[in-house]
Every structure is written in C-alpha cells, then in structure tokens.
Amino acid sequence: MISNRLRFITTCFLVVFSVTMKGQDSERYVCLTTTSGIVHCGTLVADDGREITLETPNLGKLILPKAIIIRIEDAPKGTVVNANLPTELSDRHVNSSRALQATRYFFAPSARSLKKGEGYGSFSVLTGGNLSFGLSESTIAGFSASWLGLGFNLKQSFKIKDNLYASIGGLGQISYRGTSGRRGSGYIFFPFANVTAGDENNQVTVGFGHLGGMRTRANISLVTFSTELEERSFSSPMINVSGAVQIGQRTWLMSENYHFYDPEFFPVNTVYSLGVRLWNDRKKRLNEYAIMFFVEEDQTIPVPWLSWTWPF
C-alpha cells in the first residue's frame, strides 16, 4: 500500500517537474552558434533532441538541426545578431506595445516621453536635423540644426491616467548670423502645451503654441542702391492636431496639421499633411514620407516631405 502511494507521489512529481521545465525552456532566450560560425538568437520554443526551434525577433521562426549547433548560451531578451555578434535591442524593438517613435510625428511633438536612456536622431529635408535624449521617464532634451540656425528643445511630460498624457515644453533657435545687426540674423522661440490620448502606436494629439521671434531683413533702395537693415518681430498663436495609426507591424499612417493665426513668419495660415512612417530593417531607421498642403486664401500648394529617424 505504501509502495503504491510512493509510486503515485513520484509519478506526480515527475509530471509536474517535466511540465515546469518545459515552461521554463519555452521562456528561455538563447543564442545558438552553428558549425559554420553563424549565430541565431531568439526564444527557445522547442528542443526534441533532433531539432531546435527558435522564435527570432528579426527572422521569425527558425528550425535548426541540433547536429549543426556547437554552442547554446542564454542571452538577454531581444538580443539579435549584428555582424555575427549578439547585439541587444532596445525595448522599443522587442515590445510590440511600444512604437519605435511615439514622442514625435513628422515634426510636431506628442505628449509622450522617451524612457530614461533612450533617444533618437532625425533629419528632414525641410527642417534639418535633431538629436533628442530621454533624461528621465518624463523629460526629453535635445539639440537641432536647421537651415536657419542652431536650437535647443525641452519637453516635460505628465501622465494623467493610462493612455492619457500632457506635456509642456519649448524650442528656441538662434541664427547662424547672430541675434541682431546682420542680414539674416535673429531668433525664434516656440513654447507649447499639448495633450495626447491613446497608446504609443495609435494616438491623437491636440497642441497649442506661440511662434515668436525676430528676423533682420535687408531693404535695398532702387534709387540709391543702399542697403538698410530692418529688424522685424513676429508673434503668432498656433493650434496643432496630429495623429498616428498603426497599419502594419512596423508601419504607421500619420497626419500633422497646423493653423497659425498671424503668419508673419510662417508663409501660410494653415498646413495639412498625410503620410506614412515605416521601419527599414536593413538600414535600421524609420523612413517618413508625406505630402504637406500649404493652404492660402485662393490656392493650396502641395509640398513633399521626406525625413528619417534613427531610434536608439
């Protein structure tokens, strides 16, 4: 009787142990090295003694004969192979609930923040380059260089509740020719506040800002051919409505729209846009294509937008 009970307890223990070990293996993230020196990294799905199945973040499911595997090593989740060396991806690449760029649309900011240590670089044919860093879980700071001058930007985000954020911030820029006294000199300041509803992949933002500054212009007399410098200030309240919708695994449809109440500096009152953001895995960057519609009183002028973003 006791012997039967011992056999029953032992059997139950072995069943539970085998199920537990199988569950642990399925959660293992490993890097495999083959006899040809190729390294594959991914979640260990199955190992039947003859073949090993991996779910990789970049190639999908791989089934490899165990006979060609010479090394199996545990690795941090999200590690991929770069130049045949394991490289750990950021949380934005691994976590499907996160977008590769959720803090900015084509140019306008959302109210969401980067995580501490994250960042991105971007370049637009129209607006120049930008480099931003997550200083904390709610603070982003960055530098910019446009065709007009050098700038600095700062944004502080606040979580109101799940999928609802607010932020305040601003950007400033100084002309390459200084702040005054020379043709083309001047400065721009742009404080803003906004609210973003939605998750990182599907969101809408409503923002309010004030575009102000000063620009030095040269007036040339057609009579005396003399040049007179004139410093002209500008000040315009602005409203922005932007949004993004995920339409593929690494593809987003985006729209960014503005209305300037006094377009002294900006050429038109209203700008609409529609475009896409998609991930280029080979070049490890986001490509962004759009058509901007500059609306004047009697006409609408389409302008192409092209930019790239490198998340890190």
Side-chain angles (χ1 to χ4, degrees):
M1 187 69 174
I2 295 177
S3 177
N4 290 337
R5 288 181 178 177
L6 287 175
R7 279 198 297 269
F8 176 76
I9 294 172
T10 302
T11 301
C12 291
F13 173 79
L14 291 175
V15 168
V16 172
F17 179 77
S18 64
V19 170
T20 302
M21 291 303 296
K22 183 177 180 180
Q24 289 177 346
D25 284 343
S26 66
E27 295 300 320
R28 286 183 63 193
Y29 199 95
V30 298
C31 286
L32 311 178
T33 304
T34 67
T35 53
S36 59
I38 297 175
V39 180
H40 296 288
C41 300
T43 301
L44 182 60
V45 177
D47 180 359
D48 62 5
R50 294 181 298 104
E51 295 176 331
I52 288 183
T53 302
L54 284 185
E55 186 67 41
T56 68
N58 50 357
L59 298 176
K61 184 172 290 186
L62 291 180
I63 300 176
L64 303 171
K66 200 165 185 179
I68 68 170
I69 297 173
I70 60 175
R71 184 182 296 115
I72 303 178
E73 296 177 308
D74 290 319
K77 186 176 180 180
T79 300
V80 294
V81 178
N82 183 20
N84 216 34
L85 295 174
T87 302
E88 188 173 355
L89 287 177
S90 71
D91 181 55
R92 287 179 289 175
H93 287 83
V94 179
N95 190 343
S96 60
S97 66
R98 300 202 61 202
L100 293 172
Q101 170 58 298
T103 68
R104 184 173 177 172
Y105 301 98
F106 298 115
F107 180 79
S110 76
R112 284 184 169 269
S113 181
L114 296 166
K115 292 185 180 295
K116 183 178 181 179
E118 294 180 343
Y120 68 87
S122 64
F123 178 81
S124 163
V125 174
L126 293 180
T127 60
N130 176 76
L131 189 63
S132 293
F133 303 90
L135 302 182
S136 70
E137 299 296 304
S138 58
T139 306
I140 297 177
F143 303 93
S144 63
S146 74
W147 313 121
L148 299 176
L150 298 174
F152 175 79
N153 56 274
L154 183 68
K155 184 176 77 174
Q156 180 68 39
S157 297
F158 307 91
K159 183 177 181 180
I160 301 174
K161 62 179 183 178
D162 287 347
N163 292 332
L164 184 62
Y165 290 79
S167 77
I168 57 173
L171 62 87
Q173 189 176 81
I174 298 176
S175 169
Y176 295 113
R177 301 181 67 84
T179 58
S180 64
R182 302 172 66 185
R183 180 181 179 181
S185 62
Y187 58 88
I188 298 171
F189 59 87
F190 184 59
F192 67 86
N194 58 13
V195 176
T196 298
D199 58 29
E200 289 199 6
N201 290 293
N202 302 279
Q203 57 178 256
V204 62
T205 296
V206 177
F208 302 89
H210 192 102
L211 179 62
M214 186 275 295
R215 184 68 57 186
T216 302
R217 300 175 58 179
N219 297 321
I220 302 175
S221 173
L222 297 178
V223 177
T224 63
F225 298 103
S226 61
T227 301
E228 181 181 344
L229 295 180
E230 178 188 10
E231 293 186 349
R232 299 187 61 179
S233 61
F234 50 89
S235 177
S236 175
M238 182 275 306
I239 184 171
N240 165 255
V241 179
S242 301
V245 176
Q246 187 174 23
I247 58 176
Q249 183 178 8
R250 284 290 183 259
T251 306
W252 295 263
L253 181 68
M254 296 197 303
S255 180
E256 185 174 309
N257 312 283
Y258 301 89
H259 182 74
F260 296 90
Y261 289 90
D262 184 13
E264 176 93 16
F265 174 75
F266 207 78
V268 296
N269 280 94
T270 306
V271 180
Y272 301 111
S273 73
L274 183 65
V276 295
R277 168 182 284 155
L278 51 92
W279 174 249
N280 186 322
D281 191 60
R282 183 172 64 87
K283 296 188 176 181
K284 307 302 179 187
R285 73 185 185 197
L286 290 161
N287 297 336
E288 295 145 347
Y289 312 99
I291 297 293
M292 318 288 285
F293 298 96
F294 289 71
V295 182
E296 296 183 352
E297 291 182 359
D298 56 350
Q299 64 178 333
T300 298
I301 303 172
V303 177
W305 172 279
L306 175 61
S307 60
W308 301 271
T309 298
W310 293 265
F312 58 86

